[in-house]
Amino acid sequence: MSLIKFFSTNGHPERVDFKRALLIGQAPDKGLYMPERIPNIPRSLIDKFPKMSYPEIAREVVKPYLGDLVSDSVLQAMLNDAYNYDVPVEKVYDEKYVLRLDRGPTCSFKDFAARLMGRLIQHFLKEDGRSILILTATSGDTGSAVAHAFFGLDNVKVVVLFPEKEVTERQRRQMTTLGKNVFPLSVEGKFDDCQALVKQAFVDSDLSALNLSSANSINIGRLLPQAVYYFFAQSRASARGEDVVFSVPSGNFGDLMGGLLAMKMGLPAQRFVVATNENDEFPRFMQTGVYEPIQPSRNCISNAMNVGRPSNLARLFCLYGGQMDETGHVSKAPDLNAMRKDLYAVSVTDEETRRTIKEAYSQYKVLLEPHGAVAWAGLLRYLKECGDYSPCISLETADPAKFPEEIVRATGIIPPLPPAMARLDELAELYDSIDGQYASLKDYLMRFV
Ligand SMILES: *Cc1c(COP(=O)(O)O)cnc(C)c1O
């Protein structure tokens, strides 16, 4: 079979292979890369997944996109190394599960993407004897996951922009206590501002000597690893191989795109609940067919989902035959009926999120944090409205200890600190700050030239 090529959602005629898409991140016309052809995983292979380990399933899902760019043995070693932690599928009641994606080194689901992407990038850079600067914006968890994934590598520097007032102290500490090749940068502004600054730097030719690369969820290398855990969870939760309903807490929609890619590859999935916080531009679009970004984004307690104009909607629209550019302008409407068939979108308020944390704990002794609670609340609403016919899996994307204040407030208990975060509160922090102007970011970056 021929190697899968990737095209830009903005329509640029050039097609690139996985290696190139991974290393440049964003297409030259500011579009996002999508696979030209989505490979199918045969049902006979999916039926074997219940007996396979996480890294083994990951190999089957990722390999078709890589072709022979990475040898089988190198890929399997990378996957074994990247996914050396637990992925619990925890039963809540009946066939309702919480998928805990928070056992990686930075305790958020972003470790899944960052750890494989980091290893792939490192592999390709070594092959070419090159170095790069990873420039990325974070709403809370990407920054630390990416920083940890690249920490200590010789040929990679990482600059992470974060909104100064919108990350929790522990989220910040996970980035600012590393040092070495990791440079955290606090920005006066919101996540969307950080994202806009990063995008501007990418098209600034004065910075081309830096070999900028993005590790945001706009990078296709972040997306593919996020298709894997859907297959894994389905194989563990669905005893008879039935289709599963997934509930996905969504901000920039990278997690959801991983799931939809998996579905197009053959994942036995019934439907996806797309659960947002009060940044409800997508649920409103699904109702009305009119897309209106939210500007500025609303500050909710599920802070990693405070995104008013999700980048990955460009991919989502593309998957359903539409086109959206990098400014959020829709030049071709997607097939709304097909989207409604696959997706059930809900917006969950902070009040409902807090109540959900409280009730999940008092009813089931299941400890959720704000992002996972948005998904669980979305699932409950789906079950009420659409009926209860399938096994359901709700994604829990961070460890509750990252949000101690909210957990104590809702449940009265102090979430235990996972081993990966044990010393975090004691380590010294090191980071720089800039205002929200592009000129300030540029000055800062020029020092690396
Ligand atoms: C980033 C993040 C999300 C949102 O994921 P997207 O891919 O941006 O939709 C949800 N929960 C947590 C804890 C996150 O860090």
Side-chain angles (χ1 to χ4, degrees):
M1 220 188 301
S2 69
L3 184 59
I4 293 173
K5 291 283 176 87
F6 295 80
F7 68 95
S8 165
T9 52
N10 277 359
H12 196 280
E14 189 190 7
R15 301 287 183 265
V16 301
D17 66 10
F18 179 81
K19 175 177 172 179
R20 174 123 186 97
L22 175 76
L23 291 179
I24 63 176
Q26 192 176 36
D29 62 357
K30 299 195 196 172
L32 308 190
Y33 283 119
M34 282 286 279
E36 215 169 25
R37 171 170 70 76
I38 296 181
N40 186 256
I41 301 188
R43 188 61 205 224
S44 55
L45 181 53
I46 291 175
D47 288 341
K48 297 196 175 109
F49 284 180
K51 291 209 161 68
M52 288 163 63
S53 69
Y54 193 96
E56 286 168 347
I57 293 174
R59 184 195 60 222
E60 300 300 340
V61 176
V62 171
K63 198 180 154 30
Y65 294 94
L66 294 179
D68 52 10
L69 290 172
V70 183
S71 76
D72 277 4
S73 59
V74 168
L75 179 62
Q76 191 64 66
M78 252 184 227
L79 292 165
N80 292 345
D81 186 46
Y83 303 120
N84 60 357
Y85 51 88
D86 282 347
V87 188
V89 182
E90 184 181 324
K91 187 171 180 160
V92 182
Y93 70 90
D94 297 341
E95 286 189 298
K96 309 293 174 288
Y97 300 87
V98 164
L99 172 63
R100 296 221 177 251
L101 300 172
D102 58 359
R103 302 295 157 95
T106 70
C107 309
S108 93
F109 91 102
K110 298 211 166 64
D111 285 324
F112 283 84
R115 284 171 70 77
L116 180 55
M117 186 178 71
R119 282 161 179 76
L120 284 166
I121 287 182
Q122 169 76 355
H123 174 80
F124 289 133
L125 287 177
K126 271 203 188 135
E127 204 171 73
D128 296 355
R130 288 206 303 138
S131 61
I132 58 169
L133 190 146
I134 302 261
L135 180 65
T136 191
T138 183
S139 58
D141 290 327
T142 295
S144 54
V146 169
H148 278 259
F150 289 100
F151 177 59
L153 302 184
D154 308 329
N155 45 1
V156 184
K157 289 191 178 66
V158 185
V159 174
V160 189
L161 277 63
F162 64 92
E164 59 171 349
K165 294 204 181 73
E166 287 183 14
V167 300
T168 68
E169 174 167 350
R170 282 194 180 143
Q171 283 177 322
R172 190 188 65 233
R173 284 182 162 276
Q174 284 184 313
M175 301 179 262
T176 58
T177 54
L178 287 170
K180 283 196 184 164
N181 59 332
V182 173
F183 302 90
L185 190 57
S186 159
V187 177
E188 219 174 278
K190 296 177 152 290
F191 168 66
D192 290 331
D193 301 320
C194 296
Q195 183 107 307
L197 288 173
V198 165
K199 283 186 178 164
Q200 207 172 338
F202 273 100
V203 294
D204 185 341
S205 54
D206 295 347
L207 297 176
S208 56
L210 290 175
N211 277 325
L212 291 182
S213 178
S214 97
N216 267 1
S217 55
I218 58 175
N219 192 307
I220 190 75
R222 287 271 306 274
L223 225 50
L224 291 185
Q226 291 177 177
V228 177
Y229 45 74
Y230 291 91
F231 281 103
F232 175 81
Q234 189 274 342
S235 78
R236 287 348 191 227
S238 171
R240 294 169 300 279
E242 317 95 305
D243 288 1
V244 166
V245 172
F246 287 96
S247 185
V248 187
S250 296
N252 215 15
F253 286 67
D255 196 356
L256 179 74
M257 273 308 300
L260 293 178
L261 215 52
M263 183 167 70
K264 303 282 176 198
M265 293 176 77
L267 168 76
Q270 169 82 31
R271 225 169 163 198
F272 288 82
V273 178
V274 186
T276 69
N277 59 25
E278 293 169 36
N279 291 284
D280 61 349
E281 65 288 329
F282 187 70
R284 277 192 296 108
F285 168 77
M286 290 288 280
Q287 263 177 4
T288 62
V290 179
Y291 178 67
E292 287 174 280
I294 293 178
Q295 220 148 15
S297 57
R298 298 175 183 140
N299 281 340
C300 296
I301 56 172
S302 46
N303 66 359
M305 305 184 342
N306 291 341
V307 185
R309 187 159 62 70
S311 315
N312 273 301
L313 283 186
R315 286 198 172 104
L316 185 60
F317 278 38
C318 175
L319 202 61
Y320 289 91
Q323 190 172 40
M324 174 192 272
D325 73 11
E326 73 285 355
T327 68
H329 173 72
V330 181
S331 51
K332 186 167 172 233
D335 182 344
L336 198 57
N337 288 328
M339 283 171 97
R340 285 175 177 154
K341 201 167 143 277
D342 292 344
L343 311 172
Y344 174 87
V346 289
S347 160
V348 176
T349 63
D350 274 355
E351 192 196 333
E352 191 179 350
T353 305
R354 291 190 168 113
R355 195 168 61 237
T356 304
I357 295 175
K358 186 178 168 143
E359 289 177 1
Y361 189 70
S362 63
Q363 286 182 349
Y364 307 112
K365 287 286 171 283
V366 168
L367 202 57
L368 299 176
E369 54 69 59
H371 306 80
V374 167
W376 184 252
L379 178 62
L380 295 180
R381 233 189 283 168
Y382 169 83
L383 291 171
K384 212 184 238 174
E385 197 180 311
C386 304
D388 184 353
Y389 313 104
S390 316
C392 299
I393 301 171
S394 187
L395 274 54
E396 175 50 287
T397 45
D399 190 296
K402 284 188 130 174
F403 307 89
E405 300 83 7
E406 288 299 336
I407 309 301
V408 172
R409 185 174 157 168
T411 65
I413 70 159
I414 299 171
L417 218 52
M421 288 170 63
R423 287 185 53 238
L424 202 59
D425 296 345
E426 302 154 29
L427 297 173
E429 291 189 89
L430 202 61
Y431 63 98
D432 289 297
S433 304
I434 59 166
D435 59 21
Q437 302 299 316
Y438 178 66
S440 311
L441 175 64
K442 187 165 176 169
D443 276 352
Y444 178 82
L445 291 175
M446 289 306 279
R447 77 163 80 159
F448 295 104
V449 174

